[in-house]
Amino acid sequence: MQQFLTLDDLPSLSEAVNEAIELKKNPFAFKSLGNQKNLGMLFFNPSLRTRLSSQKAAQLLGLKTMIMNFSNEAWALEFEDGTQMSGLRSEHIKEAAAVVSQYCDMVGIRAFASLNSKENDENEIVLKSFIKYASIPVINMESATAHPLQALADAITIKEKNKVKRPKIVLTWAPHPKALPHAVGNSFVRMANNIDCDLVIAQPKGYELNPLIIGDNTIVYSQEEALEGADFVYAKNWCSYSDYGKILKTDDTWMITAKKMKLTNNARFMHCLPIRRNIVASDDVLDSNNSLIIEQANNRTYSAQLVLKKILENG
Ligand code: CP
């Protein structure tokens, strides 16, 4: 594998999930694969799980890591070609990406959607500029439109915990006080469309994801109706896509509660974290034995390890 920008870069999602589960059983099996190589990680946005799980995954493979918070430690980057750099941006991506490529053998980039411009976000300017000007493999550590490391960890978790032949999985929109990007929802839908399951997207009207992501997936506008018989409930907030970046609903009627979980087939609860308690889901859901949120976070290590291993094996 030469890069990891979306789940489509994996040769096979099901084989990747199986291989990651094997890595989890024997995490030091490839402890010398990354010897004398390093992974650079550039964060334009905050992180707990992605940063630490990717660092741990790298260490399990013998890789060294170099980490930089670009938002407050690096020179502000210019991405426009041909611009006269008389403003606040001190360094052009052309030099920055070329320089990073000399120091690192591969680079992970975290750069969220701005939610100011749908066009700019969909063009993935930060990620694509690094791909254009770097000469090393690029790994998506959550971009404007995708979070494939999270989706791979979620696929691992579902495979480990599923008890039925073909699970019903509900991806449900949930409330949040801030406008959040679509990356997690997008990648979750892409992932679920590549595993053996029945996916239902539950959301209030106006919160439809990008039509290219929705495809022919089922959307249900009643959360209670969607939850009936569910085996997995994945809660996530995202802002409006059609009225880009806007919050359309502010009440708590879509919060996941223990009462709502009773409508399901004793479903396991999932969320990528961080989660706002008693906003997205109530304490009694998050603290129940059916919650998988900590196990999902644990699987971020093996998701990242699988991706780094595939890139290292490519040479
Ligand atoms: N789920 C996830 O990506 O967590 P962080 O934002 O903490 O990395």
Side-chain angles (χ1 to χ4, degrees), residues 46-51 110 142 147 150 272-274 300:
S47 169
L48 189 164
R49 280 142 291 273
T50 304
R51 177 168 171 164
R110 166 162 282 203
E142 188 171 345
H147 195 359
Q150 180 66 50
C272 60
L273 303 183
R300 289 295 306 273

Side-chain angles (χ1 to χ4, degrees), residues 137-264:
V138 174
I139 297 160
N140 183 348
M141 297 196 308
E142 188 171 345
S143 67
T145 66
H147 195 359
L149 284 171
Q150 180 66 50
L152 177 56
D154 296 337
I156 296 165
T157 310
I158 290 168
K159 170 91 180 189
E160 288 178 326
K161 301 297 176 185
N162 181 36
K163 291 191 183 130
V164 301
K165 191 157 181 278
R166 190 175 167 85
K168 176 179 176 181
I169 300 178
V170 177
L171 169 64
T172 178
W173 181 93
H176 200 281
K178 285 176 65 182
L180 296 187
H182 306 95
V184 170
N186 288 348
S187 289
F188 188 83
V189 172
R190 292 262 196 238
M191 178 276 287
N193 288 159
N194 280 285
I195 64 173
D196 201 13
C197 75
D198 292 317
L199 176 68
V200 172
I201 304 171
Q203 51 158 94
K205 285 213 160 80
Y207 277 105
E208 291 78 9
L209 293 164
N210 181 337
L212 294 174
I213 297 287
I214 297 171
D216 55 8
N217 286 292
T218 305
I219 297 178
V220 175
Y221 294 102
S222 158
Q223 194 180 45
E224 281 80 2
E225 183 189 329
L227 291 175
E228 275 174 31
D231 299 293
F232 293 90
V233 174
Y234 197 106
K236 184 73 187 84
N237 174 270
W238 56 85
C239 63
S240 174
Y241 179 80
S242 55
D243 197 358
Y244 194 69
K246 297 284 186 309
I247 296 176
L248 308 179
K249 189 169 174 58
T250 52
D251 62 65
D252 65 0
T253 51
W254 278 67
M255 178 171 71
I256 295 292
T257 61
K259 188 175 168 204
K260 286 183 187 171
M261 290 297 282
K262 286 203 171 77
L263 297 167
T264 70

Side-chain angles (χ1 to χ4, degrees), residues 3 10 12 47 56 75 84 89 103 124 130 150 186 206 229 287:
Q3 59 183 11
L10 292 170
S12 155
S47 169
K56 181 174 176 189
W75 302 110
Q84 187 182 35
R89 295 168 187 253
Y103 301 150
E124 294 278 17
F130 271 97
Q150 180 66 50
N186 288 348
D287 297 331

Side-chain angles (χ1 to χ4, degrees), residues 1 3-7 9-10 138-140 148-149 307 311:
M1 197 164 72
Q3 59 183 11
F4 185 65
L5 308 180
T6 73
L7 287 174
D9 287 312
L10 292 170
V138 174
I139 297 160
N140 183 348
L149 284 171
V307 166
I311 290 173

